[in-house]
Amino acid sequence: MRKAIRNTSLAVLLLSAGIVTACTAANGAAAPDQKPTEEVSLEGPKDAKEVEAFADSVFADNMKKFNTVGSNFVVVKDGKVLLSKGYGYADREKKIPVDKNTVFQIGSVTKSFTALAAMQLVDQGKIDLKHDIQEYLGGMKVPNKTGKPLTMFDLLTYTSGVDLPDIVTDYSVEYLNKDISMKGYLNKNMPTVVRPPGEVYTYDNFGFMLAGYAVENVSGMPYSQYMEKNVFKPLGMNKTSVRLTPEILSNMAAHYGPNGELQPTNGFAPSEKPDGGMTSTGEDMAKYLIVHLNKGEFEGKQIVSRKSIDLMHTYQFYADPAIPITTVGFEGYFNNVMNGQHVILKGGNVPGHSSLIALLPEKNTALYLSYNNDSMMSLGVYEAFMNHYFPKTVEAQPSTYSKISKQAAQAYVGLYRNTRLYGVRSKISYADGNLFMETGTTGKHTLKMVHPLLFEDEAGNKMAFKKDKSGDITYFYYTNPNGMDFVAYSQKVKMKPAFSDVPNDSVYKSYIDNLNSLDIMGAKSGNRFDPKGKMTQGEFADVLLRAHGMHTFPDEFRENKKRMIAGVPNYQPKSLITRQMAAVMIQNLKHAVPETKVKLTGKTDSWAVDAIAALVSQGITDPDTKINSGQTVNFRSTQTLSRQEASALLDKAFGYYNLPIKP
């Protein structure tokens, strides 16, 4: 889930958000390497042998393409298992094959189980979806600045409005043998509701952990015990677990990175994670798919009511009438991949394991797969499945566009920040009847108006704007399969008052104002920025981590703190920082690729040369650093860094710019 924003696995962020395509061409057609599909009934898979032959081919191709070591695959139709098969190795080194009983960590697929558990308590009248969630927390308080109560419905539809939705995303090997309570962890890591609950979607790990804690508190038993008694046992899911017990670990598939490298198994904090901590097998997950397709019934017993299942299978939140986002517990993205079908999905990922379930309730069809690496393979399998069994029958008509006036466009323009990934920032501007977006993840895009609040970029990707409760355009939701802008809304940044000691004509003013408004780097004292003041190494490190934007993920934050100072000799938090030290620390997190050959003049220590050259070649410099003819530059490497210089370097490195920038 993390390349381009995080330095580890892209799949962790993407699959935990249930993304459904990375292999789709911009116009919604199958990707160029997609094999043509034979003519198949739109009723979906029917013959077990045909399904197996299809799966064998798809997994042979995709496991090779994504360097996947081992996977399982389940297809259910009309309450029957058509296929439950393993591919490759659960443990490559020990030559242990994957089979229907191989244990995988299913990551955020756990969220759908938590939603089902909550709906069981709704069925019993013990939880009201629209009541203040604090009624069900046993005295635990969730800070709320909005004046609108946070409800279970908000939690289960990813619309809690908290400022730190990933504050509970915490993995580490050291957690394996510890018992960390959910209550204690939440009390120490409690975010604040800063947007009215229900207003906009943001992929939300905290929300589902809090929902799980409510299940625990209302039921009077630990979350794991509740799930075992009320979900796993009734469904006969005898090898599914909330906790990483020694038995589970002994049967678990090994973990591998995107390049096939063996990785350690991580534990969780807290030890029971309703947002992403379950393990299961193909055989058990087939039963979970069946209960969903049977409207909550399993072997003659109603596990959860039909009404509750309908809420889980029906989209509750839309960015636009044409853009469904979430049900209760499930999600859906990129309608063009659904081929006109009603599909709900839940993806999941922990380091080294990935999973996906897809339900087509109207077709009584579902699939599940897990595999042991960080990649987007599940999305390729899902797309192949849809194109094979439910191909498009009607091509979407091209959109028609209208010009937007300069006056009307002013309501849209501004700097926006992703409500989940603070490192994803976008600038919306206007010219010649269209809006333009510039973002560091996918570049610059022309946005043409389909109708007020709905736009399309040059590839047909939708951008839906949304007004806040005051009627002001405050958010946009953008779906682009090539970027990471689609795991949350982005919210317009309210620019703060200017500093009294930063002149309007200062070449640093825009950088200073941006970082201040983004709460990255503020006043030194009162309303004074102290632009020429110096910074300590520790002060710069704190600002750098906020500018990078991944400080809201505890596990990634720990790694970035270490990564940030790698190769920096004699890091001393209380000592002043030099320009060359700042450049190395930025490059350690930015990983800028040299665009042009730069020759440094003046004194630069050898450990900083490559980092400075990479940043300068990408245009990441302060205004007082000039690139001369012959690409020579004096970075003034050994001088101490000023606050205004820091603002320019950080805004250029981690702002909305699309690199490479040509110097």
Side-chain angles (χ1 to χ4, degrees):
M1 187 226 206
R2 308 179 188 180
K3 193 176 178 182
I5 300 294
R6 309 179 76 173
N7 297 315
T8 53
S9 168
L10 173 64
V12 173
L13 285 176
L14 300 187
L15 291 177
S16 69
I19 303 303
V20 300
T21 184
C23 308
T24 306
N27 63 1
D33 59 353
Q34 181 74 48
K35 292 184 176 180
T37 61
E38 61 186 79
E39 198 69 32
V40 178
S41 168
L42 287 179
E43 292 306 307
K46 291 184 177 181
D47 181 76
K49 289 185 178 179
E50 188 280 329
V51 173
E52 183 173 16
F54 161 77
D56 288 351
S57 174
V58 168
F59 276 83
D61 290 345
N62 279 274
M63 289 179 70
K64 181 179 180 180
K65 177 178 179 179
F66 291 98
N67 201 26
T68 303
V69 176
S71 180
N72 59 16
F73 187 52
V74 174
V75 177
V76 170
K77 170 74 172 179
D78 295 330
K80 296 180 180 180
V81 179
L82 290 182
L83 180 68
S84 180
K85 186 173 182 178
Y87 295 91
Y89 291 106
D91 190 313
R92 181 184 55 206
E93 287 68 29
K94 296 179 181 178
K95 303 299 181 185
I96 300 173
V98 173
D99 60 29
K100 64 182 181 180
N101 294 313
T102 301
V103 173
F104 286 91
Q105 292 178 284
I106 64 173
S108 287
V109 174
T110 303
K111 290 179 173 65
S112 67
F113 284 87
T114 298
L116 187 143
M119 295 311 297
Q120 287 179 326
L121 295 175
V122 170
D123 290 342
Q124 298 168 29
K126 295 180 179 179
I127 290 179
D128 189 309
L129 284 175
K130 296 303 178 75
H131 281 201
D132 192 328
I133 193 63
Q134 293 193 153
E135 295 178 20
Y136 311 115
L137 300 180
M140 182 182 290
K141 299 297 183 182
V142 183
N144 190 333
K145 295 182 177 181
T146 70
K148 184 180 180 183
L150 175 64
T151 70
M152 178 64 83
F153 187 77
D154 300 323
L155 298 179
L156 299 182
T157 56
Y158 305 80
T159 59
S160 71
V162 297
D163 56 350
L164 301 172
D166 290 293
I167 194 65
V168 296
T169 308
D170 203 349
Y171 306 107
S172 177
V173 173
E174 68 182 55
Y175 295 148
L176 275 175
N177 298 313
K178 293 185 178 180
D179 189 5
I180 303 170
S181 76
M182 204 186 316
K183 181 178 181 180
Y185 192 85
L186 281 169
N187 278 325
K188 291 180 180 178
N189 297 277
M190 184 64 71
T192 299
V193 180
V194 294
R195 292 178 300 278
E199 188 162 88
V200 292
Y201 160 84
T202 299
Y203 191 78
D204 193 349
N205 283 300
F206 163 77
F208 278 84
M209 182 175 289
L210 192 66
Y213 181 73
V215 168
E216 179 173 288
N217 187 66
V218 170
S219 68
M221 62 181 75
Y223 173 78
S224 57
Q225 186 178 332
Y226 179 90
M227 299 303 296
E228 182 69 26
K229 179 180 178 180
N230 297 284
V231 180
F232 303 155
K233 282 190 175 180
L235 293 179
M237 298 178 70
N238 299 321
K239 296 180 181 178
T240 300
S241 178
V242 169
R243 299 185 70 106
L244 295 177
T245 64
E247 181 181 1
I248 290 293
L249 291 170
S250 67
N251 292 305
M252 184 182 292
H255 297 67
Y256 298 93
N259 297 316
E261 66 276 20
L262 187 65
Q263 294 183 338
T265 301
N266 286 291
F268 307 120
S271 303
E272 298 182 4
K273 280 182 69 66
D275 57 305
M278 288 185 184
T279 58
S280 193
T281 66
E283 184 173 56
D284 277 7
M285 288 299 294
K287 298 170 183 176
Y288 183 62
L289 299 182
I290 288 171
V291 77
H292 273 282
L293 296 181
N294 286 352
K295 294 292 187 179
E297 182 182 322
F298 187 79
E299 296 183 349
K301 183 177 180 181
Q302 201 71 33
I303 305 300
V304 65
S305 73
R306 292 177 68 91
K307 180 180 179 181
S308 289
I309 284 290
D310 284 343
L311 284 173
M312 296 183 73
H313 292 182
T314 304
Y315 283 102
Q316 308 293 326
F317 190 87
Y318 292 76
D320 177 87
I323 308 175
I325 302 181
T326 63
T327 73
V328 168
F330 289 90
E331 299 174 279
Y333 296 81
F334 301 119
N335 280 353
N336 53 357
V337 182
M338 297 177 183
N339 294 348
Q341 302 293 332
H342 175 71
V343 189
I344 59 171
L345 304 106
K346 193 74 208 77
N349 186 282
V350 298
H353 279 192
S354 304
S355 298
L356 180 70
I357 61 174
L359 300 172
L360 290 84
E362 296 171 2
K363 299 298 183 181
N364 289 314
T365 302
L367 67 83
Y368 158 79
L369 71 155
S370 285
Y371 51 98
N372 53 3
N373 79 347
D374 294 329
S375 77
M376 307 300 288
M377 187 187 79
S378 62
L379 311 184
V381 173
Y382 166 71
E383 185 175 15
F385 183 90
M386 292 301 298
N387 287 340
H388 184 70
Y389 291 110
F390 301 100
K392 284 184 180 180
T393 57
V394 178
E395 288 296 329
Q397 294 298 310
S399 300
T400 57
Y401 306 112
S402 301
K403 293 291 185 181
I404 184 172
S405 69
K406 183 176 182 180
Q407 181 179 2
Q410 297 314 302
Y412 299 85
V413 301
L415 181 64
Y416 291 74
R417 177 172 58 186
N418 191 278
T419 55
R420 183 192 183 195
L421 302 174
Y422 290 170
V424 176
R425 299 158 197 139
S426 305
K427 181 183 179 181
I428 303 295
S429 57
Y430 169 81
D432 301 324
N434 296 314
L435 298 182
F436 292 86
M437 178 178 71
E438 189 177 359
T439 175
T441 56
T442 57
K444 191 169 185 177
H445 302 281
T446 301
L447 305 173
K448 297 182 178 181
M449 186 171 70
V450 179
H451 60 72
L453 300 182
L454 183 65
F455 292 72
E456 284 185 1
D457 69 12
E458 62 286 340
N461 298 311
K462 302 282 195 300
M463 176 179 280
F465 287 88
K466 185 178 177 65
K467 296 179 180 180
D468 63 14
K469 61 182 180 180
S470 301
D472 298 322
I473 293 174
T474 305
Y475 309 98
F476 72 71
Y477 181 79
Y478 178 59
T479 56
N480 187 328
N482 298 314
M484 297 182 64
D485 309 271
F486 40 66
V487 292
Y489 271 83
S490 287
Q491 183 172 5
K492 188 181 289 186
V493 176
K494 293 183 178 179
M495 300 306 289
K496 296 180 180 179
F499 292 108
S500 60
D501 59 345
V502 179
N504 287 332
D505 60 355
S506 169
V507 292
Y508 289 94
K509 186 179 189 310
S510 63
Y511 308 121
I512 292 170
D513 289 348
N514 281 347
L515 266 59
N516 182 37
S517 297
L518 289 165
D519 298 318
I520 292 172
M521 187 175 181
K524 185 69 173 179
S525 62
N527 190 38
R528 297 180 62 81
F529 183 75
D530 189 19
K532 295 185 179 180
K534 305 304 181 184
M535 301 182 74
T536 66
Q537 296 170 27
E539 288 172 338
F540 182 79
D542 290 342
V543 174
L544 169 57
L545 289 167
R546 288 197 295 274
H548 181 247
M550 297 306 298
H551 57 289
T552 59
F553 292 78
D555 58 330
E556 189 70 12
F557 180 69
R558 288 193 297 269
E559 291 303 312
N560 281 337
K561 286 182 70 175
K562 299 175 184 176
R563 189 179 295 121
M564 174 182 64
I565 60 174
V568 176
N570 197 30
Y571 174 77
Q572 297 290 337
K574 295 183 179 180
S575 298
L576 294 179
I577 190 165
T578 61
R579 290 170 56 84
Q580 63 181 0
M581 183 178 288
V584 171
M585 292 168 68
I586 290 172
Q587 176 64 352
N588 283 343
L589 298 186
K590 180 66 180 178
H591 295 293
V593 178
E595 175 67 16
T596 58
K597 196 161 187 178
V598 172
K599 182 179 180 181
L600 300 181
T601 61
K603 178 175 173 53
T604 297
D605 289 328
S606 59
W607 50 268
V609 169
D610 289 343
I612 294 172
L615 295 182
V616 170
S617 75
Q618 292 278 17
I620 303 174
T621 62
D622 57 283
D624 291 321
T625 298
K626 306 300 180 184
I627 300 177
N628 303 311
S629 59
Q631 296 297 304
T632 62
V633 60
N634 182 358
F635 192 74
R636 311 184 310 285
S637 303
T638 59
Q639 293 182 17
T640 53
L641 182 75
S642 71
R643 286 171 54 83
Q644 64 181 10
E645 291 167 350
S647 71
L649 291 174
L650 293 172
D651 192 37
K652 282 194 171 185
F654 302 105
Y656 56 83
Y657 306 92
N658 179 42
L659 298 177
I661 296 172
K662 303 294 184 182

